[in-house]
Amino acid sequence: KLQFLYFIGRGEEMAHRLKTIEGTLDRLRWSAEWLDAYDAPSRRRVKLQWRDGIKKVLVVKKWRDPEVLKVARDMVGYLLGEGCEVGVEAAEDFQVDRRIFVYCKELDRVDLVISVGGDGTFLHAGRLFAQGVPPPPCLVFGMGSLGFLANFEASTWRDTLTRLFTKGNHVYATLRTRLRCEVNNTVRHVLNDVAVLCRSHERLGKIKLRVDGQPITLVQGDGIIVSTPTGSTGYSMSCGGPIVSPSVPATIVTPIAPSSLSFRPIIISESSVVHIETLSNMSEVLHDGRLHCTLPRSSEIVIKTSLYPMLVINEMPYDHDWFNGINSKLQWNARGAEQRDYPPYDPEDFE
């Protein structure tokens, strides 16, 4: 009975999403073994293996960084040596080779995306697949200031790619949820968050919030953030939102500078649909921190879970990479010198 209830409405979309993901992996010649329970309706963690080799790779690098460019050039040379066609965004940054092509998201399908840079570079790679296109698996090498979303250090790129290209080896990956945001009949798929800002120098900003058609509350403040678990460590966290593991099927709703102290962030089901109505003029809509549009009063934004998540390759299974990241990069629960343990109190010691 519970399983039947799940597949009503949005549950059907979640089931369709899993079929879409499995179909995409099959088309890209990946064999997938789910690490989560087989009958779990929102499986996230998977073990992947190439069936017959990687043919086309897209390399996305951080712009205007000489060190990143050097690593990217070496990486492209390695991929060419493995017999791959390599897509880039600016061909003039690389050696002339007929196997290097300028990537066009409308025409080219690739087997693997490699991001070299910081978190912003990875988000940019995700925007290349922002219009309802199933993204291929993504391998992220960190060379930025934080690189929280990067599961691999750039210094290990050669060993990592060698392991990936070795026949019979497998890699771990996590399906990172994206949001489908519809504004003015325009749809974008967002990895981190959708922020609606209604800041004004003259008066308090107001937003009407509905979830699954039910009026929830009137937001009074500077705005609201709707984020994925991946985005929970970004803008949402800086506004007091919770940190959520990327394998959790959830959506986070976080107010920005609310006028009420009791207005705390909430976590809702990823199968819910969020409706936001602007009650202030000149409200701004941001996708992953970038301005998407400015809306007049009484405009509506519809946000729900995308059918096309980002498949991010990990170094370790389950959420181990994520826990390492929040400890080493975010210094989660980090303390100074810890107080040493003393032996239990014994009254006889004072007799």
Side-chain angles (χ1 to χ4, degrees):
K1 183 182 293 184
L2 290 177
Q3 188 175 10
F4 171 76
L5 288 175
Y6 174 80
F7 281 98
I8 295 177
R10 284 286 291 162
E12 295 178 354
E13 291 193 19
M14 296 298 102
H16 176 62
R17 181 177 67 170
L18 279 178
K19 290 181 180 179
T20 301
I21 293 163
E22 291 170 345
T24 301
L25 291 174
D26 185 67
R27 176 178 57 81
L28 296 174
R29 303 180 303 282
W30 285 94
S31 295
E33 177 186 340
W34 295 101
L35 298 181
D36 295 314
Y38 179 77
D39 59 349
S42 300
R43 288 176 288 178
R44 289 291 186 282
R45 299 170 293 194
V46 65
K47 184 165 68 173
L48 300 174
Q49 189 177 49
W50 281 110
R51 288 202 297 267
D52 58 353
I54 303 171
K55 308 297 183 184
K56 263 189 174 182
V57 181
L58 170 62
V59 177
V60 180
K61 67 175 182 61
K62 183 178 180 180
W63 286 79
R64 301 185 184 91
D65 190 314
E67 293 185 10
V68 172
L69 178 59
K70 182 180 183 304
V71 171
R73 283 173 173 169
D74 292 342
M75 198 176 292
V76 168
Y78 176 92
L79 293 170
L80 294 175
E82 291 290 332
C84 296
E85 292 183 69
V86 182
V88 296
E89 294 184 279
E92 60 269 17
D93 288 337
F94 300 91
Q95 63 183 4
V96 178
D97 192 296
R98 62 181 177 81
R99 293 170 294 172
I100 296 179
F101 62 95
V102 177
Y103 176 74
C104 175
K105 57 187 176 183
E106 285 79 18
L107 299 177
D108 297 308
R109 288 191 173 184
V110 295
D111 302 322
L112 177 71
V113 177
I114 299 178
S115 170
V116 188
D119 291 346
T121 307
F122 175 45
L123 293 176
H124 169 69
R127 280 192 287 271
L128 297 177
F129 305 91
Q131 295 179 325
V133 179
C138 190
L139 182 62
V140 187
F141 292 100
M143 289 189 71
S145 56
L146 179 61
F148 179 72
L149 300 178
N151 293 327
F152 297 89
E153 296 294 332
S155 58
T156 67
W157 73 263
R158 190 176 294 274
D159 291 339
T160 302
L161 290 182
T162 299
R163 188 169 76 247
L164 185 64
F165 277 87
T166 300
K167 188 174 181 180
N169 281 355
H170 64 261
V171 294
Y172 299 104
T174 300
L175 293 168
R176 288 186 174 255
T177 302
R178 295 200 296 175
L179 297 175
R180 180 189 186 275
C181 179
E182 183 175 355
V183 186
N184 293 335
N185 297 319
T186 301
V187 175
R188 290 290 184 273
H189 297 258
V190 182
L191 179 62
N192 260 4
D193 51 48
V194 176
V196 181
L197 308 180
C198 52
R199 299 171 295 193
S200 172
H201 296 293
E202 301 174 357
R203 63 189 67 183
L204 199 62
K206 295 182 180 180
I207 291 173
K208 190 181 293 184
L209 177 66
R210 289 182 292 130
V211 176
D212 295 328
Q214 177 183 357
I216 301 300
T217 190
L218 177 67
V219 180
Q220 299 186 82
D222 284 354
I224 196 164
I225 305 164
V226 180
S227 71
T228 64
T230 297
S232 69
T233 52
Y235 195 2
S236 174
M237 184 180 69
S238 70
C239 293
I243 300 176
V244 182
S245 163
S247 62
V248 175
T251 300
I252 303 99
V253 180
T254 307
I256 305 172
S259 62
S260 171
L261 288 176
S262 63
F263 192 0
R264 311 311 304 160
I266 58 173
I267 299 176
I268 63 176
S269 169
E270 72 161 10
S271 62
S272 292
V273 181
V274 178
H275 292 258
I276 296 173
E277 182 183 347
T278 61
L279 301 180
S280 304
N281 283 319
M282 305 300 290
S283 296
E284 298 176 337
V285 180
L286 279 65
H287 291 169
D288 289 344
R290 298 184 65 175
L291 179 64
H292 174 65
C293 65
T294 301
L295 298 176
R297 182 184 175 92
S298 299
S299 298
E300 187 175 60
I301 303 107
V302 182
I303 303 168
K304 61 183 180 180
T305 299
S306 169
L307 295 178
Y308 309 112
M310 289 290 290
L311 184 58
V312 181
I313 294 175
N314 302 327
E315 187 172 5
M316 293 175 284
Y318 299 105
D319 295 331
H320 298 344
D321 294 72
W322 183 81
F323 281 110
N324 285 345
I326 63 173
N327 280 304
S328 63
K329 297 173 183 178
L330 296 185
Q331 298 297 304
W332 179 63
N333 197 32
R335 301 178 59 184
E338 295 188 6
Q339 183 178 359
R340 67 185 181 89
D341 292 330
Y342 291 91
Y345 170 73
D346 187 351
E348 294 183 356
D349 294 340
F350 296 92
E351 292 181 356

